[in-house]
Amino acid sequence: GVAGVIKMVEAMRHGTLPRTLHVDEPSPEVDWASGAVELLTDAREWVRSGRPRRAGVSSFGVSGTNAHVVLEEASEEPGPAAAAGLPAVPWLLSARSETALRAQIERLRAFVTEHPEARPADIGLSLTT
């Protein structure tokens, strides 16, 4: 988990997509032909596209704990929008099953609908703590 985050932060810093580790052949469980996703067999330059670089990191623990995070490259110089506050706030949800997670989502949706004055940062803090 943490090693994957560090790896992608360094990849963003150096502008290089690292090769896929510990994989000899693509999984047959993925339809590799239907999209633009592929395993990187060699490191290659991470070309700038005019947007911040983003990367997803997933960690699957032996105990069944799964963690997923999306990293975004920091801007070169923070502008006024960065000083004004966060453009997005994560809302963390967890559950023991997909059904329970969907129920959590519906309760959160109902709360936000009933309380439009609630600030996203306050909801995020409450969900986290």
Side-chain angles (χ1 to χ4, degrees):
V2 172
V5 169
I6 292 169
K7 175 180 168 181
M8 292 316 300
V9 167
E10 289 299 311
M12 287 179 192
R13 179 176 291 148
H14 296 287
T16 303
L17 289 165
R19 71 178 182 87
T20 304
L21 299 176
H22 312 298
V23 177
D24 296 328
E25 60 186 53
S27 169
E29 302 297 320
V30 175
D31 181 6
W32 296 98
S34 69
V37 177
E38 62 184 86
L39 296 177
L40 293 175
T41 56
D42 293 307
R44 70 173 149 194
E45 181 184 1
W46 196 343
V47 180
R48 291 197 176 274
S49 64
R51 300 181 310 191
R53 294 177 180 137
R54 290 188 184 100
V57 178
S58 294
S59 178
F60 302 93
V62 175
S63 66
T65 302
N66 300 330
H68 311 282
V69 65
V70 176
L71 303 174
E72 179 174 295
E73 178 179 45
S75 62
E76 293 293 325
E77 294 182 27
L86 295 173
V89 178
W91 289 358
L92 305 176
L93 297 173
S94 69
R96 291 186 180 253
S97 68
E98 183 178 346
T99 303
L101 183 60
R102 290 188 187 284
Q104 290 280 60
I105 292 167
E106 288 307 316
R107 282 193 290 278
L108 180 57
R109 186 181 322 223
F111 176 83
V112 171
T113 302
E114 293 171 17
H115 302 280
E117 74 284 357
R119 296 182 332 161
D122 293 337
I123 294 171
L125 178 64
S126 295
L127 290 169
T128 304
T129 58

